[in-house]
Amino acid sequence: MSEPGPVAGAEPGPDGWLRLHPRAVLLATLVTAGVAAGAGFPVLLGLAGAGWAGHGSGRLLGLALLPAGFALAVASGAVAGRVRWNRTRYRIGPERAELHSGILLVKRRSLARERIRTVDLVAPPLLRVLGLVKVRIGTGEHTGGGESTLELMPVGRAEGERLRALLLDRDRGPAPAGHPDGTLAALDPRWIRYAPVSFLAPVLGGAAAGGVMQVSEWFGAQSEVIDWVGERFRDTPVLWMVLALAAIALLTGVVGALGLWVEMWWNYRLDREPGGTLRVRRGLFTARSLSLEERRLRGVELVEPLGARLCGAARVDAVATGIAEDDEDKHADHKTLLPVAPRAVADQVAARVLREAVPPTGALLTAHPPAARARRVRWALGAALIPVAVLALLGALLTDVLLYVAGGCAVVLVPVALLLARDGYRSLGHGLTGDYLVVRHGSVRRSTVALRREGVIGWVVKQSWFQRRAGLVTLTATTAAGSGAYHAFDAGTGEGLEFAAGAVPGLLEPFLEPGPGAGTSG
């Protein structure tokens, strides 16, 4: 297969070496200008806030030096960008992808092409305006210091697409019959209705409230903000004031969750490209293109956060090798193939991704014994009653008010704990369907994993003393993909071992001991 040559904007050098896009200098200049303006604005406010009355020669000198400092910072950024551009080059050879960079400390790094698993394109708003992208070339290995990743920042958009095609599009023959290449899923704007029911909404609301207080403290106006809020609720009972403020914070969080969803998932599309590559494209302001080779795929995970599940929705994550997230991009949702969408749509997309006619995530699973429910009830009651007991003890020692608080907590926490325990038990399940083993668990975050049997490299069988008495066992399928371990919690001992032995014949049997209740690992 012929390899496409470099496009305009990627300047060729000797021996096939290429430079970053020339607009890298302009990008560095603009970024430095933004940082300098952000740092100088509070200084300007501070100098201006000192008052214009009287003679403030020092203040006037500071105001005069601000433009000079800004210009010096911008010029320094431009020079540094030019030097960095001049000292950075990359080359994609027949066997290796290489990057040379550095000014004082020169770095020479390379990746073997057969080890490359991901080529992701990211374009924040400034890069998009300039027609540039950041290219991350990775092996998917979990190594420190970024040794498994090469980052080219910035290159032209066309050059980024060329690099992605060159490093990932490999000829693996025609697609299987009935599973053609093309679009597997596309954005339905109605999915935005699931954004407010995520756990992100209250978190963003609390963050917004904390941000207001922090900013007001920076400007020395925190007491004025508190007094203004107090004036608004002067004749309102404390309870109603707390509820009103919580409602305002929650509404702010809902608006924030909607905005974040639009930014992350607008223009979303999931495609299967020729050669066996799954590609997710998404983003309103920051455009992202994330790629995954199908040969690295070992299954899918159907994730149902509590709020989404109550609305009949779920998202689909990939269970694959070669998805390593470092500290810089660990929140970038690299493994998410489908955002929260109706459960039926999620099942359909899971089936299309796995090239199956029937979604394994919708298989009928074996329920776990009632003893598993009893364990969850005990855990839930313990978690709910411990804070109640602490408050009651403090109330007996200090003040009767805490006794009333303990009673209120008991009235609220115990029913909630029992509901979650019952729901957690109903979520437990395991089964085999076709080439997949399926396990499910969780209440606040219910997870259904369909894992290819061929992807299982071992089993871990755990049985505590309490589980042994109850006739339960926890089975963990180990794999090189995804999180590395997927659990069937508190299954019946006999049916659990039978499930593990049937999932991958010949893997577990040599380690089994005769008689029930034998806990081993394999």
Side-chain angles (χ1 to χ4, degrees), residues 215-229:
V215 172
S216 64
E217 183 180 4
W218 288 345
F219 288 92
Q222 190 176 82
S223 59
E224 286 81 355
V225 172
I226 295 174
D227 292 340
W228 183 86
V229 173

Side-chain angles (χ1 to χ4, degrees), residues 107-196:
K107 297 181 180 180
R108 294 181 173 88
R109 299 173 49 209
S110 67
L111 299 177
R113 287 185 59 171
E114 66 269 13
R115 293 174 52 217
I116 293 174
R117 301 289 175 258
T118 60
V119 181
D120 298 332
L121 311 182
V122 181
L126 183 56
L127 267 69
R128 292 186 70 181
V129 171
L130 297 176
L132 306 173
V133 296
K134 176 174 69 174
V135 180
R136 292 178 57 85
I137 304 169
T139 64
E141 298 173 353
H142 295 262
T143 58
E147 296 300 323
S148 62
T149 303
L150 298 182
E151 183 174 294
L152 307 179
M153 162 78 169
V155 300
R157 188 177 303 143
E159 172 68 0
E161 291 291 342
R162 183 190 77 87
L163 293 173
R164 198 192 74 85
L166 175 62
L167 295 171
L168 285 185
D169 290 357
R170 294 156 187 168
D171 188 7
R172 298 188 183 91
H179 302 282
D181 299 329
T183 300
L184 303 183
L187 177 71
D188 185 339
R190 292 175 295 179
W191 297 347
I192 195 174
R193 67 182 183 270
Y194 301 118

Side-chain angles (χ1 to χ4, degrees), residues 9-12 17-21 85-90 155:
E11 299 180 3
W17 287 99
L18 303 170
R19 294 190 186 276
L20 300 177
H21 200 284
W85 175 81
N86 191 56
R87 297 285 295 173
T88 303
R89 51 186 177 151
Y90 65 94
V155 300

Side-chain angles (χ1 to χ4, degrees), residues 59-110:
R59 185 178 71 254
L60 294 176
L61 179 61
L63 290 172
L65 289 177
L66 274 179
F70 177 81
L72 179 62
V74 172
S76 300
V79 171
R82 174 69 186 188
V83 174
R84 176 181 176 272
W85 175 81
N86 191 56
R87 297 285 295 173
T88 303
R89 51 186 177 151
Y90 65 94
R91 179 172 63 181
I92 309 299
E95 297 181 356
R96 308 193 69 82
E98 302 172 81
L99 173 65
H100 289 186
S101 62
I103 301 174
L104 298 178
L105 179 62
V106 178
K107 297 181 180 180
R108 294 181 173 88
R109 299 173 49 209
S110 67

Side-chain angles (χ1 to χ4, degrees), residues 195-478:
V197 299
S198 70
F199 294 111
L200 196 59
V203 172
L204 290 176
V212 169
M213 300 306 295
Q214 184 63 58
V215 172
S216 64
E217 183 180 4
W218 288 345
F219 288 92
Q222 190 176 82
S223 59
E224 286 81 355
V225 172
I226 295 174
D227 292 340
W228 183 86
V229 173
E231 284 293 326
R232 304 284 81 75
F233 295 94
R234 179 186 302 174
D235 300 323
T236 306
V238 175
L239 178 61
W240 288 109
M241 180 183 72
V242 172
L243 291 177
L245 292 176
I248 293 172
L250 182 59
L251 180 61
T252 303
V254 167
V255 174
L258 291 171
L260 186 60
W261 186 95
V262 171
E263 155 58 17
M264 290 182 62
W265 295 108
W266 203 252
N267 297 321
Y268 160 81
R269 195 170 74 191
L270 171 64
D271 295 312
R272 176 182 286 119
E273 299 183 331
T277 298
L278 296 173
R279 184 180 189 184
V280 177
R281 282 176 278 193
R282 58 183 176 85
L284 179 61
F285 298 114
T286 299
R288 296 177 176 87
S289 171
L290 310 175
S291 302
L292 171 66
E293 291 181 306
E294 279 191 279
R295 67 189 183 97
R296 316 303 300 178
L297 194 66
R298 298 294 180 267
V300 296
E301 181 179 10
L302 202 73
V303 181
E304 300 170 271
L306 182 60
R309 180 154 57 95
L310 293 176
C311 297
R315 79 168 189 264
V316 178
D317 290 351
V319 177
T321 61
I323 302 181
E325 299 175 6
D326 58 22
D327 292 337
E328 181 180 345
D329 59 2
K330 61 184 178 180
H331 300 300
D333 294 325
H334 282 67
K335 62 183 179 181
T336 300
L337 300 177
L338 178 76
V340 176
R343 172 61 191 265
V345 175
D347 280 327
Q348 293 172 4
V349 171
R352 293 170 188 164
V353 167
L354 297 175
R355 299 183 185 269
E356 298 290 336
V358 178
T361 51
L364 183 64
L365 304 182
T366 301
H368 290 198
R373 176 177 55 201
R375 280 170 60 83
R376 275 145 187 80
V377 169
R378 289 194 294 269
W379 294 339
L381 287 178
L385 293 177
I386 286 176
V388 171
V390 171
L391 288 172
L393 178 61
L394 293 176
L397 296 175
L398 301 176
T399 172
D400 292 343
V401 175
L402 293 178
L403 294 176
Y404 293 107
V405 175
C409 289
V411 169
V412 174
L413 294 179
V414 171
V416 171
L418 292 175
L419 286 173
L420 290 176
R422 179 174 178 270
D423 183 63
Y425 167 71
R426 294 179 62 185
S427 295
L428 292 175
H430 64 272
L432 300 174
T433 175
D435 296 330
Y436 297 87
L437 65 89
V438 184
V439 292
R440 185 180 66 202
H441 67 87
S443 179
V444 176
R445 179 190 183 273
R446 187 163 78 177
S447 168
T448 305
V449 176
L451 182 64
R452 283 200 177 104
R453 302 190 196 190
E454 63 186 20
V456 177
I457 59 177
W459 283 100
V460 177
V461 182
K462 293 183 179 179
Q463 192 175 49
S464 68
W465 182 81
F466 297 101
Q467 285 179 308
R468 192 177 303 115
R469 290 192 59 187
L472 303 175
V473 68
T474 294
L475 298 139
T476 301
T478 60

